[in-house]
Amino acid sequence: MSTERFRHDPGERDSGRFRPRWWWFALFALNVAVHLHRGWDSSAAIGLPLGFAVTLALVFVPRLPRWLTRAGESMERKRLRPQEMASNGAPLVPSASPRGIAVTARVDGDTSQWNGQATVGPVRVTVTLPDGRPAYLTLPDCPGPLALAVVRTRKLWLHGKGLGSEGGEVTAEFGTSTTAGLLTTDPAGAVPVSRFLRWWDSLSGLAWRNRLRMSVAGLAMAALVAVPVGALVWAPWLWVLLIPMLVAAVAAAVWVSDVRYRLRGAGEGPLTPIDVRLADDHVWPAAEVRGWAVLGPGRPARLDIVGCPPEIAAELLAHGRVWVFGEPRPGPVWLGLPGRDVFAGAGFAQRQPASSTPPGTGADGS
């Protein structure tokens, strides 16, 4: 299951996506240094853990009063030159070249709700390269002016290493608007991914994580017990580590639960083939794949695959089917391939069959 990271905007109100406010950690570290320089006392023992808890909220809570976050967002914006801002104020990815290569672009999907202010995404674009080859472009966070310009003119300028034969990351431009995206000429949506990420998202990587999960859980619990014991017996300043250990223990519990959930779905049960029909003869890189299947007589269902691996996409395009771990059913499922080390999460949304009862007729026939 391949995933690709994209650069995005620092301001949650500008881009619609949240980015942690890391600068609060720097302020907390400065505060800790000042307290430790003055010496450890009861106020530090109480104030530093509480301060760390508040810092975690300031860093990771998405929605906070604007007077708390405006200063940090201003610092992020000062790092960008004026020409790197879109007309809606959203930060843009710097361009390596003024224009790049011109391509013909056609936006897929419904664009009637788009406007020139909000960031939209993911935007799926089918492009025609200068040599005539078709390519498939995904723009995860596209500025509104750029999206509407592509819809209106069917033109776009691309540059970046993704223009090579294997595809990958590119920068899309139109006028003064710029954004990052993924481009590929492979109908299965394959793009270069590191070996480690490919292995990590495979069945063998999942099995390795399963062997590791009990050790991670035990280590987190041991650290959580050791901190208060050490603070009471040895060094009072260890109370500062209590809240970080609590956060680490919660993160470890979530990770262990996620591994167990994935292994229970993708590591057990036989693979069952299900015929699926796609609306297109290709998929877009790092974008949701949607198709239609029939789970049984009179049971049509919509299939949504998030982060579809190229191997599963190729099977879907070539043979019109997917392989489901266990019995196909409405709701979350896991997909795989016979003899292949890949899996992906998906979901069947079953459509309600139309009622055969004429309108206005009750259950008693009256």
Side-chain angles (χ1 to χ4, degrees):
M1 185 169 52
S2 61
T3 58
E4 192 75 17
R5 298 185 183 275
F6 300 103
R7 293 167 288 181
H8 54 78
D9 304 343
E12 59 183 286
R13 291 176 174 82
D14 293 329
S15 65
R17 297 185 58 180
F18 173 69
R19 181 176 181 179
R21 310 174 190 95
W22 301 114
W23 59 86
W24 286 107
F25 277 137
L27 296 178
F28 176 75
L30 180 62
N31 191 22
V32 170
V34 171
H35 278 79
L36 294 181
H37 177 72
R38 294 178 179 175
W40 186 262
D41 53 17
S42 59
S43 64
I46 298 174
L48 290 182
L50 293 178
F52 187 77
V54 173
T55 301
L56 289 177
L58 291 171
V59 172
F60 295 110
V61 174
R63 301 282 180 186
L64 288 175
R66 191 167 184 83
W67 59 269
L68 280 175
T69 60
R70 183 180 300 170
E73 291 179 3
S74 300
M75 288 191 294
E76 293 270 356
R77 288 172 176 272
K78 288 178 181 178
R79 299 174 188 173
L80 298 171
R81 297 189 298 271
Q83 59 269 28
E84 293 172 348
M85 305 292 290
S87 60
N88 63 341
L92 302 173
V93 179
S95 301
S97 63
R99 298 295 282 180
I101 64 170
V103 297
T104 302
R106 178 176 58 84
V107 176
D108 180 79
D110 181 22
T111 64
S112 60
Q113 303 300 317
W114 293 359
N115 58 60
Q117 302 299 322
T119 299
V120 294
V123 177
R124 302 171 178 86
V125 185
T126 303
V127 304
T128 303
L129 300 176
D131 58 5
R133 292 180 300 157
Y136 314 104
L137 174 67
T138 302
L139 305 176
D141 295 301
C142 186
L146 190 150
L148 291 179
V150 175
V151 172
R152 185 177 66 255
T153 65
R154 295 198 172 189
K155 291 184 181 295
L156 195 60
W157 281 262
L158 303 176
H159 57 84
K161 61 182 181 181
L163 291 174
S165 59
E166 295 184 353
E169 291 184 353
V170 296
T171 299
E173 290 187 11
F174 194 101
T176 60
S177 297
T178 311
T179 190
L182 273 181
L183 180 75
T184 183
T185 56
D186 183 3
V191 293
V193 179
S194 68
R195 278 185 163 185
F196 175 77
L197 285 179
R198 192 176 297 277
W199 170 81
W200 182 262
D201 290 327
S202 66
L203 288 173
S204 57
L206 180 63
W208 181 85
R209 280 180 278 169
N210 180 58
R211 293 192 295 268
L212 189 64
R213 66 184 175 93
M214 296 309 298
S215 300
V216 171
L219 184 62
M221 293 303 298
L224 189 60
V225 173
V227 167
V229 171
L232 292 173
V233 176
W234 179 49
W237 62 266
L238 286 176
W239 285 112
V240 178
L241 302 178
L242 181 59
I243 293 180
M245 288 300 102
L246 285 172
V247 174
V250 172
V254 172
W255 183 80
V256 168
S257 176
D258 179 71
V259 171
R260 186 178 179 182
Y261 169 72
R262 290 171 180 265
L263 188 70
R264 184 181 299 173
E268 300 177 359
L271 284 169
T272 304
I274 293 291
D275 293 332
V276 177
R277 177 174 296 180
L278 294 179
D280 301 293
D281 57 355
H282 62 272
V283 301
W284 280 269
E288 182 183 57
V289 177
R290 174 167 293 181
W292 295 95
V294 177
L295 300 181
R299 296 173 58 198
R302 188 185 74 233
L303 173 66
D304 297 313
I305 310 174
V306 180
C308 184
E311 296 86 351
I312 293 180
E315 173 78 6
L316 185 57
L317 294 172
H319 304 288
R321 68 187 176 195
V322 295
W323 296 80
V324 181
F325 282 100
E327 186 69 22
R329 61 193 181 279
V333 296
W334 294 95
L335 309 180
L337 281 177
R340 303 295 294 272
D341 193 27
V342 296
F343 75 101
F348 284 110
Q350 188 170 352
R351 301 180 65 184
Q352 296 295 331
S355 175
S356 58
T357 305
T361 303
D364 57 357
S366 58

